[in-house]
Amino acid sequence: MLASVATASCTNDEADECRDDAAALRLKMVAMVVILMAGVSGVAIPLVGRKRRFLRTDGSFFVFAKAFAAGVILATGFVHMLHDAQSALADPCLPESPWRRFPFSGFVAMTAALGTLVVDFVGTQFYERKHREEAIGVKTAAAAAVAATTSTSAEEDITVISIVSEPEEKADNVKSPMHIVGMHAHAAAHRHSHPHEHGSCDRPAPRERGPGHAHEEEGEVSSHVRHVVVSQILELGIVSHSVIIGLSLGVSQSPCTIRPLIAALCFHQFFEGFALGGCISQAQFRNLSAVLMACFFAITAPSGIGVGAGAASFYNANSRRALVVEGILDSISAGILIYMALVDLIAADFLSRRMSCDIRLQVASYMALFLGAGSMSALAIWA
């Protein structure tokens, strides 16, 4: 283990024929700008367009784009991050024991996925309890307000009845607050009194959790809580590996390595940002919280590039310590992204009632999913 944390270089950096420190620095400056713009564009489209009909989160186009982005994230975890982790931890530079005697990359990724499951569950329970307490407080305040309004209305009715000189025609044309409340109550009861006469795909979406209003509210709260938790965990996974890949680009002094990385990272940041922005939009965060989450995602990769560029003079990316640290961090990121892509993005959308009831939406979404996964996988040829 002591040999695994050595800082001496495993390869001869000067032997790199494409090494050019000045050209690499210029490319890093360009990379910071274009990757920042790609990330901002990707995460901003769902947030800005959530009130536009074409880009609303319940629209078909958003479902297609989110499926494509889910494929990108899945391929990022399997093809890029997990492969990079395996390459780093199985590097011949590292001691054979323990790094090549046990598949640490897969084990760490599995552990990270299970840890994400626990965080997902605990976070969901926490937010559900929080929303339930807030809902109880709101209902209590509303009940008190209704009681006060009812008592006031009753006093007004007594006053009106006592004035016998009021014309009957005028009184008939005035609707008391109690009458209006009664109309709303009757309408609500009428909406819930109809039996489910149609199949599951013919019923309106809000009724799928049961005919009672309480069940509908509980379903809406649970869905909202899931979106809140998913958006936060997804941002954690994306941000962690954005920093890693930013550092990897920043410490490189080879333009031959940096050029393909710029194109790959722009593509990858844009669609990961789109998926994250869609989750933030569905979670219905306040504007300030949504902007802070979007900005935090957008600046991570450029910040990693800047930190890597600054540390390139004394940070040895080819040392044994760097290989171990990057391999473990890549494995953790891979586990988080694979879990989020499969469970909270793909399964949540593709196993939904809406998807099962619309064949054309299913076909288009599967095509988008495979296209996103295939496109991101193909980028592994260059980066």
Side-chain angles (χ1 to χ4, degrees), residues 12-301:
N12 186 6
D13 295 339
E14 301 300 331
D16 188 356
E17 297 179 355
C18 199
R19 182 185 178 100
D20 188 338
D21 293 0
L25 182 59
R26 289 193 298 269
L27 285 173
K28 291 172 190 176
M29 298 299 105
V30 173
M32 292 176 65
V33 175
V34 296
I35 291 174
L36 176 64
M37 293 174 60
V40 169
S41 301
V43 75
I45 289 175
L47 296 178
V48 174
R50 58 184 168 181
K51 296 182 180 179
R52 308 293 193 275
R53 183 176 182 181
F54 184 62
L55 288 173
R56 287 179 59 183
T57 56
D58 56 353
S60 297
F61 177 79
F62 178 82
V63 176
F64 305 151
K66 190 178 177 185
F68 185 91
V72 170
I73 293 176
L74 185 64
T76 300
F78 271 118
V79 181
H80 291 263
M81 306 306 295
L82 196 57
H83 174 266
D84 291 346
Q86 174 65 24
S87 299
L89 296 179
D91 193 284
C93 180
L94 293 177
E96 182 178 356
S97 179
W99 303 109
R100 291 196 295 280
R101 288 179 177 266
F102 185 80
F104 280 98
S105 57
F107 176 76
V108 173
M110 178 193 70
T111 305
L114 294 177
T116 306
L117 171 65
V118 174
V119 174
D120 197 357
F121 175 78
V122 173
T124 301
Q125 294 293 313
F126 171 78
Y127 279 106
E128 281 185 348
R129 190 179 304 111
K130 180 179 178 181
H131 279 264
R132 196 177 298 115
E133 292 174 355
E134 291 177 354
I136 292 174
V138 170
K139 288 181 180 179
T140 304
V146 169
T149 304
T150 303
S151 61
T152 304
S153 301
E155 293 176 0
E156 291 178 354
D157 288 343
I158 294 173
T159 304
V160 170
I161 293 173
S162 65
I163 303 176
V164 295
S165 61
E166 189 71 25
E168 185 177 352
E169 294 82 1
K170 183 175 180 181
D172 289 339
N173 293 330
V174 177
K175 294 181 179 179
S176 69
M178 286 300 294
H179 178 68
I180 297 173
V181 171
M183 289 174 62
H184 285 295
H186 174 73
H190 182 69
R191 285 196 297 269
H192 296 300
S193 64
H194 293 291
H196 296 303
E197 299 173 355
H198 304 288
S200 61
C201 289
D202 296 328
R203 293 198 302 267
R207 292 187 182 180
E208 65 179 343
R209 294 185 180 270
H213 185 65
H215 292 285
E216 292 178 9
E217 289 182 351
E218 183 180 353
E220 292 174 0
V221 170
S222 297
S223 176
H224 174 67
V225 167
R226 288 298 304 146
H227 289 312
V228 170
V229 176
V230 166
S231 62
Q232 294 180 346
I233 298 179
L234 181 61
E235 174 149 19
L236 174 64
I238 292 176
V239 163
S240 62
H241 92 89
S242 293
V243 172
I244 296 169
I245 58 180
L247 283 170
S248 300
L249 189 151
V251 298
S252 176
Q253 300 291 2
S254 172
C256 299
T257 302
I258 295 174
R259 288 192 189 97
L261 274 176
I262 294 176
L265 292 184
C266 287
F267 179 87
H268 153 260
Q269 287 293 103
F270 178 85
F271 285 104
E272 282 196 343
F274 189 94
L276 178 61
C279 291
I280 294 173
S281 179
Q282 289 178 317
Q284 299 177 358
F285 285 107
R286 295 177 180 176
N287 291 335
L288 179 59
S289 299
V291 169
L292 288 176
M293 292 181 70
C295 291
F296 188 61
F297 158 76
I299 65 174
T300 48

Side-chain angles (χ1 to χ4, degrees), residues 296-366:
F296 188 61
F297 158 76
I299 65 174
T300 48
S303 299
I305 296 172
V307 172
S313 59
F314 59 86
Y315 174 77
N316 186 0
N318 295 316
S319 66
R320 294 177 177 178
R321 177 184 296 176
L323 289 172
V324 171
V325 172
E326 290 176 11
I328 292 176
L329 292 179
D330 281 342
S331 299
I332 294 173
S333 298
I336 296 174
L337 293 181
I338 291 169
Y339 172 88
M340 295 304 298
L342 290 175
V343 176
D344 288 328
L345 294 179
I346 296 175
D349 289 340
F350 283 79
L351 300 180
S352 66
R353 173 180 168 274
R354 177 185 180 184
M355 189 76 74
S356 63
C357 295
D358 191 335
I359 300 300
R360 287 187 297 179
L361 185 64
Q362 286 182 40
V363 173
S365 298
Y366 274 107

